[in-house]
Amino acid sequence: MDPDGINELQWSRRNKMGLLENRFNDNVIVEKLDKLLSWGRSTSPWFFQFGTACCAIEMMAAAASRHDLMRIGMIPRSSPRQADVMIVAGTVTMKMALRVKKLYEQMADPKYVVAMGSCATSGGPYWQHGYHVLKGVDIVIPVDVYVPGCPPRPEALIEGLLKLQEQILDERPLTRKMA
Amino acid sequence: MGVVHGEEMVLNIGPQHPATHGVLRLQVRTDGEVVSEVTPYLGYLHRCFEKHCENVTYEQVIPFTDRCDYLASMTNNFGYVVAMEGLMDIKVNERVEHIRVIMAELQRIASHLLGLGAFGLDIGAFTPFLHMLRDRERILDLFEMTCGARLLYNYMWVGGLSHDLPVGFVESTYRFLDYFEPKIDEFVKLLVHNKIFVERTADVGRLPQDVAISYGVSGPNLRASGQKWDLRKDDPYSIYDRFEFDIPVGEGGKGSVGDCWDRFYVRVLEMKESIKILRQALSSLPKEGDVYQSLPKKIRPPIGSIYKRTESPRGDLGYYIESDGTNIPYRLKMRSPAFTALSVIDEIAAGWLLSDVLAILGSLDIVLGEIDR
Amino acid sequence: MTVDFIFDFLNQFFTSLAGNEFLLLVAILLPCVVLFGFITIYALVVIYTELKVSSFIQDKVGPMGQGVGIHAGKWGLLQPIADALKLLSKEDIIPSSANRPLFVLAPFMIFVGAFISFVALPFGDSIIIADLNIGIFYILGIGSLAVISLILAGWSSNNKWSLYGGMRSAAQIVSYEIPAGISLITVIMLAGTLNMQDIIIYQQGGIFNWILFDNPFIPVAFVIYFISALAETNRTPFDLPESESELVAGFVTEYSGMRYAFFFLSEYANMFVVSAVAATGFLGGWQSPFPNALNSPGWGVFWMMGKTFFLIFIMIWIRWTVPRLRVDQLMNVCWKVFLPIGLVNIFGVAIWTVLFG
Amino acid sequence: MSTDQDKLITELVEKGLTGDMEPINSIEDRVLRSKAKAALAKAKRAAKSQETAEPKKKKSEEKSSDDLPSSVNLNEKIVYMINEKFSGSLANENTETHIQLKSDQWFEIATWLKSEPSLFFDSLQCQTGIDVGDNTLEARYNFHSMKHNHYTEIRIAVPRKEATIPSVEQIWRIADWFERETYDMLGIEFSGHRDLRRILLPDDWEGWPLRKDYLVQETYHGIVVPKMKEGWE
């Protein structure tokens, strides 16, 4: 396991590298293409089932019949390679932390992270005495959307995912350096 | 795992894998598809439950018990409050007892639904899983109208409950039972007697009775091996001795006693028994009674210790509580049924094919939150 | 609509270039482009169908285009397009430990395998790109190409899950080709030809002239063929190579973005091929089920598509209903059940033909 | 009830025990008949329990609880038997809630606890490690017998410096994981355990978390462990 680099992680706005990223100057056609691409990305964010604890059950409930994440185009994938959104649902422990980082690195750009629940946000109820609990998954990977709650209701998760979609829609993948 | 010979391959299942029900890592040694050894590695969800218990007051332990077995929070609360009331010698009134039993049995159904669905998912049947979740939502609705939470309730308190039943709860529960009973039969048709499902589970991963006892396997897993052991009958707590219900045991309906199919079917039958208990408890629920009646002003149990077991959906859930007379537990240990159930995996999964190992894992119905605590 | 036909047409149109090799190239490429477009559109439609049908089976609604901004349209009709756009613009990961050339080759090879099968499929009375005299044989042969690419994908990924997926798919597809072939032999025996169009013409004259209802042995052959086809396309209950709950994603575990899209595409393309072969061999292809009615070329395309899509729908239906078999049971079913029955079936059909044919 | 009625009933019961039901059934008086039948059932039950008790006695012939009056509770009985068999292994005679043992003969006692037919503790329910202070660690075992449906608790205290207890992993298989957990959390070594590793925490974790003087390590693989985010509290 590679201990390097974790402390120096300074997640500003990171560089999401796709096939066509940042290769174009701004003009009308590129702008339209930009919009098309970001529409595609925001409409079809496949999520990686990364459930660790209690929140995983609510994530499943959100994907199941009553709440049905597929309505907003979210399809579960079990391999990180094919996923766009990693929903970190649940507590991440020290033993798991480096693996979370590895899984994140295995995902293909553009990739997004939703920290679901207070454990993934900050350590949740375990933040004070939890010697083995990572106090927030943003210590090891960058997070786009935080969904509070212990556990968040499926509605809250859907709200968070809609926020993420908004964020993706505002992106201009082809001309990020201009934006 | 030592030396790897010739054709053998060491394969890591997990910690992030769709079939591990959370973050469990199984290291399997395989020769082609045949698995010769399974070594579980735990602790990827070790959330320091016991350390927390030594740092928070007795009341504050309850939310942490919720989060241990997050599929059966009600029964986890139940076990803890039963143990605490034993330690402090508190008697709660009839209404509280009835509500507790109702909640515990609803929780048992909810937990079994998810466990069975996830088992089906491991075998490759995706649809029954979602049907199960759909029906589970209705139970969660009942919990939600009672205490406002869907998953982690913090509902049972030492000496009482956090809320009384809301108006219309009893009717809603009856409505749910009427809806749910035929659904079990539908589920049985869809999956339990499905030819492919039977082929995949019958005779697979047989767990003999003595091995099960030696490994401390309990609950439905033990009953599937033919041992008629249910704490609700054999060591009755709360008011379980008043209700009439059967303890389903594995009979080897499709293969031999103690196989995956038995473990599956026992859970299906248990849901039916829970419905029986629910109907009795609902009909005998006293109208009067204050749920805060015996709440102690301060929880300071006398010096001493207690080990109390209750029947959670996964088996014997034990709490060992050591009190030093203050308002903070000196030591609190949770004996989790899933922990003991998982320990048997190498014994019963070795020699089977890779797909079977995952089926056997699914049939044990483990919850990682409770294993790692 | 064969290449010759297009070539002739082009020759007449561009008289100055008549007989030029360039025109021949155009004549070859034109159907390819059309076909590629067809497969893409077909895949989008079927992916949407699969999402919706599976959702309805599971008591939910599936893609509804609910989301932010311009989202996926009414009923989520644009969902597959968004998926495709997104997959195309994703990062292309080639694991550093993978065998690079093979890893890159595998998705294209599997797509080529599916693609060139389409060449011999009859879409209508005269709509066939290459009317081969050994059409059905050709499709069966090309179908085996998938095995090679799946093994390549599994092995080159240098991932144990992929390797398992590759191993399983090799065993599975190779085995199930035999019962599939054997059950098609009964069709060939009756029609007396390997040519796809001739097989269809043999079934002229309404539903009762279809080979499926020719004699009591054929429905058995049809069932065997259909189940084998499920196995060849890696659909549940035979989806062991990519079984999600066991092997993460099987041989596609390491593929991302566009390369993954190719696997996705070819899975659905393969479904179309096997269904179209079943429709051709057993259900009368583009022939109308009513004698001497609705039999124009336009209706022909409709009937062919209708029958194929119906079979695809059944495949989707099965996938979301039943659990998955185990690898040894899979082999048992093939070698101990389908193969003997298939062989007996051939004799049955032969004897029936001699006695009553 | 008159005396001759009593006599009649005893006579009838004697006959009934030999299998002759005719005289009882032929009684005209309904009350008398039912009384006779009840007495017969009682007598039969008594005879049965005598029968079942006898072979048990034979099995546990040597030293067993039979010499004790039946009123003692299970713990006292076990302590008595342990004193007979393994003298000097009791740490104190207190038996109210538990049995306190010394660690040296624990493996033998454990083997005996499982094999002794009148105890037959086939199920190790729970094993708890406790830091009881005074530089002492304690392992507590909760045993249960599926057959007899009885229950006991055994405690073994060891000094912190040489915290070693014989492992019972080979007797109850679940002890394998229980002991690993206790080792993981409190650092009690179990001698004779075949695979004593940390079970929940990573192998390279420092310290024993459930000891009362545990201080959490500052970093783990470069990740700050006890970090609290800025601006909290």
Side-chain angles (χ1 to χ4, degrees):
Chain A
M1 270 181 255
D2 168 35
D4 298 332
I6 289 192
N7 269 340
E8 299 100 68
L9 292 181
Q10 297 297 324
W11 306 107
S12 53
R13 192 74 201 143
R14 69 194 179 285
N15 216 7
K16 292 199 181 76
M17 289 295 289
L19 263 187
L20 310 163
E21 310 283 339
N22 302 340
R23 307 246 167 113
F24 299 90
N25 288 321
D26 205 0
N27 64 45
V28 178
I29 300 165
V30 169
E31 193 194 333
K32 293 289 171 206
L33 266 175
D34 246 353
K35 280 199 171 150
L36 188 67
L37 271 185
S38 56
W39 167 76
R41 287 174 180 182
S42 78
T43 311
S44 133
W46 293 358
F47 71 99
F48 175 41
Q49 313 163 328
F50 186 63
T52 58
C54 332
C55 294
I57 310 298
E58 287 299 70
M59 182 173 74
M60 275 198 263
S65 306
R66 184 181 288 187
H67 302 282
D68 194 7
L69 278 183
M70 212 183 261
R71 284 183 302 153
I72 57 172
M74 304 207 54
I75 300 169
R77 300 298 316 171
S78 45
S79 169
R81 297 272 191 224
Q82 295 131 25
D84 311 293
V85 181
M86 179 167 169
I87 302 181
V88 184
T91 319
V92 179
T93 59
M94 291 295 164
K95 208 171 176 177
M96 198 66 201
L98 296 171
R99 286 164 177 86
V100 174
K101 189 163 183 281
K102 202 171 176 181
L103 285 167
Y104 176 75
E105 281 160 0
Q106 280 176 348
M107 286 168 67
D109 276 322
K111 51 193 173 189
Y112 308 90
V113 177
V114 174
M116 181 185 179
S118 31
C119 290
T121 309
S122 65
Y126 304 97
W127 73 281
Q128 198 176 7
H129 305 293
Y131 51 85
H132 191 236
V133 174
L134 189 68
K135 315 294 184 297
V137 74
D138 49 4
I139 294 174
V140 286
I141 55 172
V143 175
D144 293 85
V145 174
Y146 298 88
V147 181
C150 188
R153 302 171 60 88
E155 293 92 327
L157 177 64
I158 291 173
E159 167 78 25
L161 293 171
L162 289 177
K163 288 272 178 252
L164 179 70
Q165 287 194 340
E166 264 170 37
Q167 186 184 319
I168 301 173
L169 203 58
D170 286 343
E171 268 174 17
R172 302 199 51 194
L174 301 180
T175 51
R176 174 151 321 108
K177 60 189 170 195
M178 309 292 290
Chain B
M1 212 175 208
V3 191
V4 182
H5 303 283
E7 311 282 298
E8 284 187 338
M9 181 156 100
V10 172
L11 190 64
N12 268 317
I13 307 179
Q16 169 50 42
H17 185 275
T20 51
H21 297 235
V23 279
L24 167 70
R25 179 169 145 230
L26 292 178
Q27 202 176 53
V28 297
R29 182 195 285 268
T30 61
D31 179 4
E33 290 268 345
V34 182
V35 171
S36 57
E37 195 182 331
V38 185
T39 319
Y41 288 83
L42 324 173
Y44 292 94
L45 192 54
H46 176 53
R47 295 190 283 191
C48 332
F49 168 68
E50 285 158 17
K51 190 75 181 174
H52 279 91
C53 294
E54 295 176 14
N55 286 299
V56 298
T57 59
Y58 282 102
E59 300 94 317
Q60 289 170 331
V61 169
I62 299 174
F64 286 105
T65 65
D66 271 338
R67 281 157 184 77
C68 277
D69 184 351
Y70 38 79
L71 291 181
S73 305
M74 282 288 182
T75 47
N76 272 31
N77 290 351
F78 199 6
Y80 176 71
V81 297
V82 164
M84 280 307 294
E85 282 160 15
L87 192 62
M88 296 175 68
D89 208 16
I90 299 176
K91 281 294 281 178
V92 292
N93 62 29
E94 282 290 298
R95 187 169 165 86
V96 173
E97 295 278 25
H98 274 86
I99 295 175
R100 281 182 181 175
V101 166
I102 291 169
M103 290 300 162
E105 292 310 311
L106 280 173
Q107 182 72 80
R108 193 179 312 276
I109 296 176
S111 169
H112 280 344
L113 278 178
L114 201 102
L116 296 173
F119 183 28
L121 193 61
D122 289 347
I123 304 281
F126 197 72
T127 301
F129 174 62
L130 289 177
H131 287 187
M132 304 273 96
L133 278 179
R134 177 197 65 197
D135 295 342
R136 182 174 167 272
E137 288 284 335
R138 291 185 172 238
I139 302 180
L140 298 192
D141 283 348
L142 292 175
F143 289 150
E144 197 179 333
M145 71 190 277
T146 314
C147 61
R150 276 169 52 88
L151 196 67
L152 310 171
Y153 314 104
N154 187 16
Y155 180 60
M156 295 180 196
W157 288 355
V158 180
L161 302 166
S162 71
H163 302 75
D164 201 348
L165 289 182
V167 179
F169 177 86
V170 176
E171 295 75 37
S172 308
T173 312
Y174 271 126
R175 224 173 300 138
F176 164 73
L177 294 179
D178 293 339
Y179 160 84
F180 183 61
E181 260 187 310
K183 288 284 173 199
I184 296 183
D185 300 332
E186 185 188 301
F187 176 59
V188 167
K189 262 186 228 156
L190 185 61
L191 197 56
V192 180
H193 295 300
N194 184 314
K195 177 80 177 140
I196 295 177
F197 183 79
V198 172
E199 284 285 319
R200 282 294 307 274
T201 52
D203 277 327
V204 172
R206 214 177 74 75
L207 176 59
Q209 197 172 320
D210 51 335
V211 175
I213 293 173
S214 177
Y215 273 94
V217 176
S218 53
N221 295 331
L222 178 62
R223 291 194 277 277
S225 297
Q227 173 87 23
K228 206 164 184 153
W229 173 255
D230 190 322
L231 287 169
R232 290 174 293 173
K233 278 259 193 218
D234 292 295
D235 186 8
Y237 54 97
S238 189
I239 50 166
Y240 273 112
D241 45 354
R242 292 188 207 166
F243 301 117
E244 248 177 59
F245 60 100
D246 301 324
I247 305 172
V249 289
E251 285 159 352
K254 299 280 176 190
S256 43
V257 176
D259 56 10
C260 285
W261 192 85
D262 263 353
R263 283 196 282 278
F264 186 83
Y265 195 52
V266 160
R267 291 194 169 87
V268 175
L269 294 178
E270 265 182 30
M271 292 201 293
K272 291 189 172 176
E273 297 305 320
S274 290
I275 291 175
K276 269 192 212 167
I277 299 177
L278 275 169
R279 285 194 188 280
Q280 293 170 41
L282 284 171
S283 64
S284 65
L285 175 70
K287 291 267 184 301
E288 299 299 315
D290 179 13
V291 293
Y292 307 118
Q293 190 186 347
S294 17
L295 281 183
K297 287 264 173 334
K298 248 183 200 162
I299 302 189
R300 278 179 194 276
I303 297 174
S305 66
I306 190 168
Y307 177 69
K308 185 68 190 166
R309 300 165 297 171
T310 52
E311 183 79 20
S312 94
R314 261 153 274 282
D316 298 7
L317 173 74
Y319 283 96
Y320 190 97
I321 304 172
E322 168 89 14
S323 157
D324 59 349
T326 61
N327 62 345
I328 292 173
Y330 187 76
R331 173 86 167 91
L332 195 151
K333 158 103 183 178
M334 180 195 227
R335 182 259 193 222
S336 76
F339 183 79
T340 56
L342 182 63
S343 70
V344 83
I345 184 104
D346 183 40
E347 186 83 21
I348 58 175
W352 290 98
L353 301 184
L354 186 64
S355 328
D356 292 326
V357 172
L358 299 174
I360 292 167
L361 184 69
S363 75
L364 291 173
D365 188 17
I366 53 168
V367 167
L368 263 298
E370 200 184 40
I371 292 173
D372 295 341
R373 279 154 288 151
Chain C
M1 240 215 268
T2 59
V3 172
D4 290 340
F5 178 80
I6 298 169
F7 189 46
D8 287 347
F9 179 78
L10 287 174
N11 275 340
Q12 283 161 21
F13 200 78
F14 301 102
T15 37
S16 57
L17 288 168
N20 196 316
E21 282 177 359
F22 173 73
L23 280 189
L24 183 62
L25 199 66
V26 171
I28 292 171
L29 280 180
L30 193 66
C32 286
V33 171
V34 172
L35 199 57
F36 188 79
F38 170 76
I39 293 177
T40 316
I41 291 166
Y42 148 80
L44 294 179
V45 171
V46 171
I47 288 169
Y48 179 76
T49 315
E50 170 128 39
L51 287 178
K52 273 293 187 192
V53 170
S54 68
S55 295
F56 292 153
I57 290 176
Q58 292 159 356
D59 228 358
K60 44 186 210 180
V61 286
M64 288 304 281
Q66 292 167 339
V68 294
I70 27 181
H71 57 75
K74 198 168 173 61
W75 304 317
L77 280 167
L78 299 179
Q79 186 67 47
I81 297 171
D83 287 346
L85 258 179
K86 182 210 67 184
L87 280 175
L88 290 180
S89 70
K90 283 217 60 143
E91 184 192 4
D92 176 38
I93 294 178
I94 299 175
S96 57
S97 55
N99 187 327
R100 207 184 158 93
L102 298 185
F103 187 84
V104 174
L105 187 63
F108 296 109
M109 216 160 128
I110 191 171
F111 182 69
V112 165
F115 184 69
I116 55 180
S117 303
F118 273 76
V119 167
L121 291 180
F123 290 95
D125 197 356
S126 56
I127 308 170
I128 182 166
I129 292 166
D131 192 7
L132 303 172
N133 57 354
I134 50 161
I136 205 161
F137 183 66
Y138 166 82
I139 289 175
L140 279 179
I142 292 297
S144 324
L145 204 62
V147 187
I148 300 169
S149 43
L150 293 192
I151 294 178
L152 276 188
W155 187 78
S156 65
S157 300
N158 200 3
N159 176 318
K160 285 169 183 170
W161 300 120
S162 305
L163 186 60
Y164 266 108
M167 267 157 47
R168 284 181 177 185
S169 68
Q172 176 178 328
I173 296 180
V174 168
S175 308
Y176 273 88
E177 253 163 25
I178 297 166
I182 283 177
S183 44
L184 282 179
I185 283 178
T186 55
V187 173
I188 296 163
M189 283 163 71
L190 289 172
T193 173
L194 288 169
N195 183 307
M196 299 287 266
Q197 292 290 34
D198 291 349
I199 292 175
I200 294 175
I201 290 164
Y202 171 82
Q203 307 176 61
Q204 208 163 17
I207 189 165
F208 296 107
N209 283 9
W210 292 0
I211 287 181
L212 183 63
F213 304 109
D214 193 280
N215 68 56
F217 294 97
I218 297 293
V220 179
F222 177 67
V223 170
I224 291 179
Y225 176 77
F226 192 70
I227 295 175
S228 308
L230 283 178
E232 276 190 72
T233 46
N234 298 330
R235 302 283 295 180
T236 318
F238 307 102
D239 65 338
L240 291 101
E242 45 190 318
S243 51
E244 188 171 301
S245 56
E246 285 166 30
L247 302 186
V248 187
F251 53 84
V252 291
T253 306
E254 291 287 348
Y255 283 92
S256 68
M258 202 157 64
R259 294 181 209 286
Y260 172 68
F262 268 107
F263 276 107
F264 214 55
L265 195 62
S266 32
E267 182 186 330
Y268 287 99
N270 273 327
M271 272 166 72
F272 187 90
V273 173
V274 293
S275 302
V277 170
T280 307
F282 296 96
L283 304 178
W286 39 260
Q287 303 275 13
S288 155
F290 313 106
N292 306 320
L294 306 178
N295 224 352
S296 66
W299 278 106
V301 174
F302 171 78
W303 290 124
M304 182 68 192
M305 287 296 165
K307 288 164 185 173
T308 311
F309 273 91
F310 176 68
L311 292 177
I312 290 173
F313 168 73
I314 291 183
M315 282 182 164
I316 294 173
W317 184 7
I318 291 176
R319 167 163 183 185
W320 296 102
T321 310
V322 294
R324 180 186 309 125
L325 278 170
R326 202 169 60 202
V327 69
D328 60 326
Q329 291 162 345
L330 180 92
M331 290 296 151
N332 280 350
V333 172
C334 176
W335 294 104
K336 293 186 183 164
V337 180
F338 286 171
L339 199 59
I341 294 178
L343 287 172
V344 169
N345 226 16
I346 291 180
F347 284 106
V349 172
I351 292 165
W352 185 278
T353 317
V354 169
L355 293 182
F356 306 102
Chain D
M1 202 189 282
S2 61
T3 41
D4 47 275
Q5 229 181 15
D6 266 348
K7 241 182 218 170
L8 184 63
I9 289 176
T10 39
E11 235 169 73
L12 288 169
V13 166
E14 264 165 32
K15 268 185 189 162
L17 277 176
T18 57
D20 187 9
M21 293 293 283
E22 272 294 286
I24 296 184
N25 287 336
S26 59
I27 300 172
E28 290 285 306
D29 182 10
R30 207 188 289 157
V31 180
L32 185 62
R33 190 168 67 215
S34 51
K35 268 182 189 166
K37 274 193 177 168
L40 178 65
K42 214 177 186 180
K44 271 186 179 167
R45 216 180 298 139
K48 216 178 201 174
S49 64
Q50 232 171 9
E51 267 168 37
T52 47
E54 264 164 348
K56 233 187 220 170
K57 258 183 210 169
K58 272 171 205 161
K59 263 188 206 163
S60 51
E61 237 174 276
E62 357 154 24
K63 296 284 175 197
S64 78
S65 56
D66 296 337
D67 328 345
L68 285 164
S70 57
S71 60
V72 298
N73 70 22
L74 183 71
N75 280 351
E76 285 171 32
K77 180 173 134 187
I78 297 171
V79 164
Y80 178 83
M81 289 158 86
I82 288 177
N83 262 338
E84 290 283 333
K85 266 188 146 5
F86 310 95
S87 56
S89 59
L90 276 178
N92 63 49
E93 294 285 332
N94 187 7
T95 60
E96 203 174 310
T97 55
H98 60 270
I99 299 164
Q100 190 90 36
L101 292 181
K102 288 176 189 161
S103 66
D104 31 341
Q105 271 187 306
W106 170 229
F107 184 78
E108 289 75 23
I109 296 175
T111 318
W112 169 79
L113 277 176
K114 192 179 181 186
S115 55
E116 165 66 38
S118 70
L119 299 177
F120 199 68
F121 286 112
D122 53 353
S123 165
L124 170 60
Q125 285 281 317
C126 181
Q127 197 226 16
T128 315
I130 286 194
D131 180 2
V132 288
D134 299 338
N135 275 329
T136 312
L137 302 173
E138 206 168 81
R140 298 184 176 175
Y141 298 81
N142 298 86
F143 290 107
H144 176 260
S145 168
M146 288 279 174
K147 192 173 151 202
H148 302 299
N149 203 356
H150 58 212
Y151 163 86
T152 191
E153 180 179 330
I154 283 170
R155 298 182 180 177
I156 298 169
V158 283
R160 213 184 245 219
K161 273 186 190 140
E162 38 193 277
T164 310
I165 296 176
S167 166
V168 293
E169 166 243 352
Q170 306 194 20
I171 306 170
W172 296 277
R173 290 295 292 123
I174 184 56
D176 182 354
W177 281 22
F178 277 154
E179 284 172 356
R180 276 177 70 186
E181 196 194 331
T182 309
Y183 167 73
D184 193 357
M185 291 294 139
L186 286 128
I188 300 177
E189 302 260 353
F190 290 90
S191 57
H193 193 293
R194 287 172 287 189
D195 186 22
L196 196 63
R197 290 174 290 126
R198 280 187 183 272
I199 187 167
L200 296 179
L201 293 168
D203 287 331
D204 48 3
W205 196 260
E206 293 160 20
W208 315 107
L210 286 187
R211 290 189 180 184
K212 290 288 176 189
D213 55 354
Y214 173 66
L215 286 176
V216 72
Q217 64 195 65
E218 279 300 311
T219 57
Y220 175 71
H221 283 276
I223 310 168
V224 181
V225 176
K227 181 188 171 183
M228 294 174 195
K229 287 189 180 173
E230 301 83 27
W232 281 35
E233 288 175 301

